[in-house]
Amino acid sequence: MTGTKELTGAMVGQLRQAVRLLIALTVVLALSAAVPPDGYTHAGSRGAARVVAEHESGPRITDLTVRSPALGRDARVRLLTPDGWEKRGPGDRWPVLYLFAGGDGDHETWTREYEVQKKPELHDVLVVMPEMPLFGFYSDWWNGGRGGPPGVESFHLREMLPLLERDYGAGTRRAAAGESQGGFGAISYAARHPGLFQSVASYSGYVHPLQHPHTVRAAMTYLGLDWRALWGDPVAQRANWQAHDPYYLAERLRGTRVHLSSGDGRLGALDPPGTERDPHIPGVEDPADPFPDDVYSPTEAIMNEESRTLAARLKRAGAEVTTHFYTGTHSPAYWHRELDRTLPTLLDSLGGGARVVAEERVGPRLVDLTLDSPALGRRAKVRLLTPNGWAERGPGDRWPVLYLLHGGFEPETYRTWTRESDVEEIPELRDVLVVMPEGGTVGFYSDWWNEGKDGPPAWETFHLDEVRPLLEQGYGAGERRAVAGLSMGGFGAVSYAARRPGMFAAAASYSGPVHLLHPRMRETWPQLEEAYGGKGSLRGLWGDPVAQRAVWQAHDPYHLAGRLRGTEVFLSVGDGNPGPLDPPGSAYDPAEPGLDAMNRSLAARLARLGIPAATHFHTGTHHPAYGARELHHSLPMLMETLTE
């Protein structure tokens, strides 16, 4: 169902400002949606759809007019075309993102309201935005069992889609998303046609019609439409309702990535001051179970109930589903935000890149992401410590980012920093997005050499080319970045900063092996191999340090020191003697002095190159408590680079 704020806007092209015109236009719009002009055949007949006009409406925007037997009239389809599309050859194909409008069916919505044409990530994708008749519900109408126009599903999937794939460069990798009734369309189409879409997203969609059938009756009656013409009576024609209801088709969504989001109907962060309640539509609310007084948008509250019900059903069915439920009304401002949040996942499904398959809030500010990573050949975790206001972020909200990397042989990996330090309590980090990714037992923050064959695990690619773009596209990560790490993570921090100059404004290493080819590393390496699995077990990482010396040098911060110019560097390490943070009775740590030698070596190399580096050489062992303390010591430098 679509709320009045959305429906009336389509009638006059002003979604949020034309409610007062709804009743006056009802009769005309209802007739235009339901009565076919002479000379058109109905859905299911032998007539073929064809493009009768093309119009370039703006840079990369092409509007097609399609003569549709299924609709019984001409209809518009807006295309946002990819780079190079106008010079396409017969075999050129692009992945396709279908964007479905709400109940108004306006094909201009996504470019006018959300300006998708300005999103750089859509330059390599064909975006298809089709028209739909008023309240067409992305379905072929039942019409008393006679069928016939409007056949919306037939128009979109049996007429428009083949035309686009034959003549307009549309490929067979497809994703779909929709607002309000368009959210229902995305989910219903995917369920009714398994395999058609790689991923789908619903923003405030009416995704379980049989949970609230009275709302279909109320809204269509309010618009002057025959509500039984859609799917029939929900009792007498229950099977027809179920055949379109995603809740009853949940098993058919296995293999499709599904995202559901909606507000709770209450005023939220994106509702401007003075927001009024939804206009009253008789019959939308159940009089026996009215909504609380603080619900301004009963339509959105209904969408929320249905999205939650469907999400639970999909999980029981073994389908892959993510959700975002929030405080807010049935408003385009939220759908704009949700589009930005989900666009990375939708596009990743088209290109086979990394994708978020689960989100879980595990603390007041902690969110755990599960990513399906081609670079690793498996799923991996990333923990986020989110800044103030992050949960209510809008499309343009961005925060500086601090990456915290864990050490080797950590049983908790991505949880290490929240378990071993007070990072959650540091006041300065309440305005920073802190990213704590999994890095493997001894992944060493590198793409493994694997005897020259490369391939998984590719930790650098995972962290910098998969995790980073996903966070910047959908999770509020900005372009001001710093990185710090303990032990193996300290190496990773400095190595990443040197291998990717300019990506990080600052890098801090706490007891990290930052000079791989240092003589003391030769003492440490056999210990690492023995702990990892025996002699030679780490040969796949960078190969032999003699035979593959160039590979080692390409990852060694000492040999890459010149590339750290312009990056703030902090190096700290203990001397191996028990210090103030070691438990009583702690013994001398023979490993830490080797790390001390490596850090002093890198510091001297940076000094010779005229590259400033802050250092803290202290008494202490390789105990995680020192990493927690050194984070505080380096934090002023890190924060200065993030906030300047």
Side-chain angles (χ1 to χ4, degrees), residues 103-123:
D104 52 32
D106 186 355
H107 69 290
E108 297 182 357
T109 292
W110 294 96
T111 51
R112 183 185 64 242
E113 296 289 332
Y114 310 124
E115 296 186 314
V116 295
Q117 67 273 24
K118 295 184 179 180
K119 297 185 180 298
E121 55 266 49
L122 294 179
H123 275 263

Side-chain angles (χ1 to χ4, degrees), residues 251-434:
E251 286 79 6
R252 297 166 66 91
L253 284 165
R254 293 190 188 120
T256 301
R257 307 166 199 170
V258 179
H259 182 83
L260 303 170
S261 68
S262 65
D264 60 6
R266 296 173 171 84
L267 294 180
L270 302 184
D271 292 295
T275 296
E276 297 183 355
R277 295 178 181 272
D278 282 358
H280 177 63
I281 300 177
V284 167
E285 290 190 74
D286 183 351
D289 186 22
F291 290 106
D293 290 341
D294 62 346
V295 171
Y296 271 50
S297 177
T299 294
E300 189 69 4
I302 289 169
M303 307 300 187
N304 187 268
E305 291 179 3
E306 297 194 2
S307 294
R308 289 179 181 273
T309 302
L310 177 59
R313 176 76 179 92
L314 289 170
K315 290 177 181 177
R316 292 196 301 271
E320 188 176 305
V321 58
T322 58
T323 61
H324 182 220
F325 301 124
Y326 53 86
T327 298
T329 62
H330 200 65
S331 166
Y334 292 100
W335 305 331
H336 194 171
R337 181 187 70 184
E338 295 307 302
L339 172 64
D340 285 344
R341 286 175 63 98
T342 57
L343 195 56
T345 299
L346 293 167
L347 297 182
D348 284 340
S349 74
L350 297 177
R355 57 192 178 91
V356 176
V357 297
E359 297 181 23
E360 181 183 10
R361 182 167 289 279
V362 295
R365 294 171 55 212
L366 294 179
V367 175
D368 284 353
L369 307 179
T370 303
L371 274 64
D372 194 348
S373 167
L376 300 180
R378 64 173 178 83
R379 293 184 175 180
K381 296 277 194 176
V382 178
R383 172 160 287 186
L384 305 180
L385 177 60
T386 60
N388 291 335
W390 182 86
E392 296 78 33
R393 66 191 181 278
D397 291 336
R398 295 290 184 271
W399 286 267
V401 186
L402 173 61
Y403 288 80
L404 288 181
L405 309 181
H406 66 79
F409 300 102
E410 289 285 352
E412 297 281 325
T413 62
Y414 69 100
R415 301 175 181 172
T416 295
W417 279 98
T418 52
R419 186 193 66 220
E420 300 286 359
S421 78
D422 64 344
V423 64
E424 294 178 72
E425 310 304 323
I426 299 176
E428 294 93 330
L429 295 180
R430 290 191 172 272
D431 294 314
V432 174
L433 178 64
V434 182

Side-chain angles (χ1 to χ4, degrees), residues 617-642:
F617 302 115
H618 57 83
T619 299
T621 66
H622 202 68
H623 192 283
Y626 291 101
R629 184 188 70 181
E630 296 306 299
L631 172 61
H632 282 272
H633 283 168
S634 60
L635 198 58
M637 179 200 78
L638 296 170
M639 292 303 300
E640 183 179 0
T641 63
L642 290 176

Side-chain angles (χ1 to χ4, degrees), residues 420 486 581-583 586 589 592 620-628:
E420 300 286 359
L486 172 64
L581 302 184
D582 290 290
S586 294
D589 182 353
E592 195 73 359
T621 66
H622 202 68
H623 192 283
Y626 291 101

Side-chain angles (χ1 to χ4, degrees), residues 77-366:
V77 178
R78 172 156 287 187
L79 305 180
L80 177 62
T81 60
D83 292 341
W85 180 85
E86 68 281 356
K87 298 178 182 179
R88 67 190 180 279
D92 290 335
R93 295 290 182 271
W94 286 267
V96 187
L97 174 62
Y98 291 85
L99 294 177
F100 297 132
D104 52 32
D106 186 355
H107 69 290
E108 297 182 357
T109 292
W110 294 96
T111 51
R112 183 185 64 242
E113 296 289 332
Y114 310 124
E115 296 186 314
V116 295
Q117 67 273 24
K118 295 184 179 180
K119 297 185 180 298
E121 55 266 49
L122 294 179
H123 275 263
D124 296 316
V125 176
L126 176 65
V127 183
V128 178
M129 298 158 279
E131 177 186 345
M132 180 186 71
L134 174 69
F135 223 82
F137 240 112
Y138 293 87
S139 300
D140 288 356
W141 283 35
W142 183 66
N143 287 328
R146 300 184 304 274
V152 181
E153 181 177 349
S154 288
F155 167 56
H156 288 155
L157 303 186
R158 296 184 177 88
E159 293 180 346
M160 178 192 72
L161 186 147
L163 277 175
L164 297 177
E165 294 184 353
R166 186 187 69 202
D167 298 329
Y168 291 89
T172 57
R173 296 286 295 179
R174 314 177 192 91
E179 57 167 32
S180 190
Q181 204 173 105
F184 164 84
I187 306 296
S188 180
Y189 282 175
R192 286 172 56 81
H193 302 271
L196 186 65
F197 299 103
Q198 275 66 51
S199 62
V200 290
S202 166
Y203 316 133
S204 302
Y206 187 68
V207 292
H208 183 9
L210 273 169
Q211 187 171 0
H212 300 98
H214 62 279
T215 59
V216 175
R217 177 177 59 193
M220 295 186 72
T221 299
Y222 187 66
L223 289 169
L225 301 173
D226 178 4
W227 69 277
R228 290 185 179 86
L230 178 56
W231 298 314
D233 185 271
V235 176
Q237 282 76 44
R238 184 176 179 84
N240 195 34
W241 281 66
Q242 289 179 336
H244 293 85
D245 190 329
Y247 179 87
Y248 293 94
L249 306 174
E251 286 79 6
R252 297 166 66 91
L253 284 165
R254 293 190 188 120
T256 301
R257 307 166 199 170
V258 179
H259 182 83
L260 303 170
S261 68
S262 65
D264 60 6
R266 296 173 171 84
L267 294 180
L270 302 184
D271 292 295
T275 296
E276 297 183 355
R277 295 178 181 272
D278 282 358
H280 177 63
I281 300 177
V284 167
E285 290 190 74
D286 183 351
D289 186 22
F291 290 106
D293 290 341
D294 62 346
V295 171
Y296 271 50
S297 177
T299 294
E300 189 69 4
I302 289 169
M303 307 300 187
N304 187 268
E305 291 179 3
E306 297 194 2
S307 294
R308 289 179 181 273
T309 302
L310 177 59
R313 176 76 179 92
L314 289 170
K315 290 177 181 177
R316 292 196 301 271
E320 188 176 305
V321 58
T322 58
T323 61
H324 182 220
F325 301 124
Y326 53 86
T327 298
T329 62
H330 200 65
S331 166
Y334 292 100
W335 305 331
H336 194 171
R337 181 187 70 184
E338 295 307 302
L339 172 64
D340 285 344
R341 286 175 63 98
T342 57
L343 195 56
T345 299
L346 293 167
L347 297 182
D348 284 340
S349 74
L350 297 177
R355 57 192 178 91
V356 176
V357 297
E359 297 181 23
E360 181 183 10
R361 182 167 289 279
V362 295
R365 294 171 55 212
L366 294 179

